Amino acid sequence: MFTNYKNDLIKEFKNYNGGKFKKDLMAGITVTAVALPLALAFGVSCGASAGAGIITAIISGLVIGALSGGSFQISGPTGAMSAILILLGQQYGLEGIWVASLIAGLILIVAGVFKLGKVVSYIPLPVITGFTSGIALTIAIGQLDNFLGVTTKTSDSAIIKVFNFVRGPINPNMYALLIGILVVAIMILWPKKWNAKVPSSLIGLIVALIVNMLFNLPVDVIGDIPQKLILDDRLTFAGINLESIKGLVVPAISIAALAMIESLLCGEVGKKMKGESFDPNRELVAQGIGNMIIPFFGGVPATAAIARTSVAIKSGAQTRLVSIFHSIFLLISMFVLAPIMSKIPLSALAGVLMITAWRMNEWENIKYMFTKRFKGSIMKFFITMMATIVFDLTQAILIGVIFASLLFMVKISNADIFISDVDEDKLNRNISKNNTLGKTKVIYFTGPLFFGTVDKLRSEIESLEDAKVLILSMRGVPLIDITGIQALEEIMEELVSNDCRLLLCGLQEGVKDTVEKSGFKDKIGEDKIFWSAVEAINYVEDNRVAI
């Protein structure tokens, strides 16, 4: 892995010059403008602090960006991760978030070493889309308190949070609400052509800050932002103990799973946008190392961020120096602008997150599923989305994948079976009903022969009362499992007891290997397996099987 990393770096920086350096520098500044308001917002939304959000973006940009599986990845705090961390922080506090991040980092490194980077490709698109929409809803619901300027009872899930709002009387702080609405309006109305150079989220926060400073409104603000790279509140080795590790393994798995999904999806998107290679396993190791280091600086778990990565690529990013430059500019911003940023209203950050949550939804995929009326995909989408809101995010992914697998099994269980007599025209001769060919049936089976389809095959064969030879054509069978093999053995034994023979033909390579390994080839006899139905029919004719 280190050799590949070295070779990729050599290739990446080959013919690097002043022109490319300037492009990286300018792209880094642009990404900083996007990352700064999001870092502040996600730091607060996950239950930590704005300073923790900036520290996370700085360290992840330096460490993960330098080690990344691609030249374009920009990592930092994300909305999806904040949805996990807010609940984790309520239960275990910041100490729990840090320890869980440490464990999650180790899990990610192990996943990368064992080359599990392709795992995301096995998650169906509707499940990922539903997962993303569920996270977006969770983020939006989690920001209702700050948006309205109120404090409601903490809850273990987003759905309970909604119930709390519906049940109890809510008296919003009108000043906070108006600031939140102002930021939302700015982000919606800000022209797209301007957004490419000056992000609407940054403009929204600046306007909200100016309004608050001019009128000194009675609203909650970010508060002090430490002007230091290593925060006072951070993980220390003394804070790690066996008991805390035991209780945080499951949350750590959730963090690792989310970091894996987001980072690898981001890598796939970036790879297509920039037309470059991407090493998913090295990306997992980079994410793991970064998330093990970040807690010791006082930051929160990070992942690769699609929004920031796409901005970097569209801004002309040439190499991974963009990630490093964006970290340097964030660090400068923290030291220079901390006193000013501390006065940003929390409702303004909530407004940024509300719009960010809306834009997180993969609307193109959602529109495609619904307009084309793919019922199975729509069901997967809704089940995963609701599971994300109600349960743990990792459980939501598992529920979505399990449901998708069940739908897939139901779909492929609809095997097609066609039974015919021996065709006289193909053999160019008449077939008497009193000879063996007249009592021969050809069964064409299409679909996998596994536990979901064997009963259908048995039922069709049992309906054939007068047959003396059954030729089972399996050219349309892509796979067979042990249940299918056992079913064939039982069918063969039943046919023999009824003075009927079973022949096989058209076995695909994978099916043929399974038939051989299982020993069924020896049981039925190698001379009873043929390349085609015609060969099997000729065998029946040549051997003159007695009726």
Side-chain angles (χ1 to χ4, degrees), residues 42-43 45-48 56 77-94 96-98 100-101 251 255 258 291 299-302 393:
F42 292 141
S45 68
C46 73
T56 303
T78 62
M81 190 61 76
S82 68
I84 286 183
L85 300 181
I86 184 63
L87 298 177
L88 179 61
Q90 288 173 5
Q91 188 172 359
Y92 296 98
L94 281 175
I97 291 177
W98 295 327
S101 177
I255 292 172
L258 182 58
N291 279 295
V300 295
L393 300 188

Side-chain angles (χ1 to χ4, degrees), residues 18-19 85 120 175 189 205 218 273-274 277 280 294 329 331 335 352 375 430 435 450-451 459:
L85 300 181
V120 173
Y175 296 106
L189 299 174
L205 291 187
M273 288 181 66
K274 200 175 180 187
S277 61
I294 289 171
F329 290 128
L331 185 62
F335 281 113
V352 169
K375 294 180 180 178
N430 293 326
N435 64 25
F450 75 126
F451 62 87
S459 178

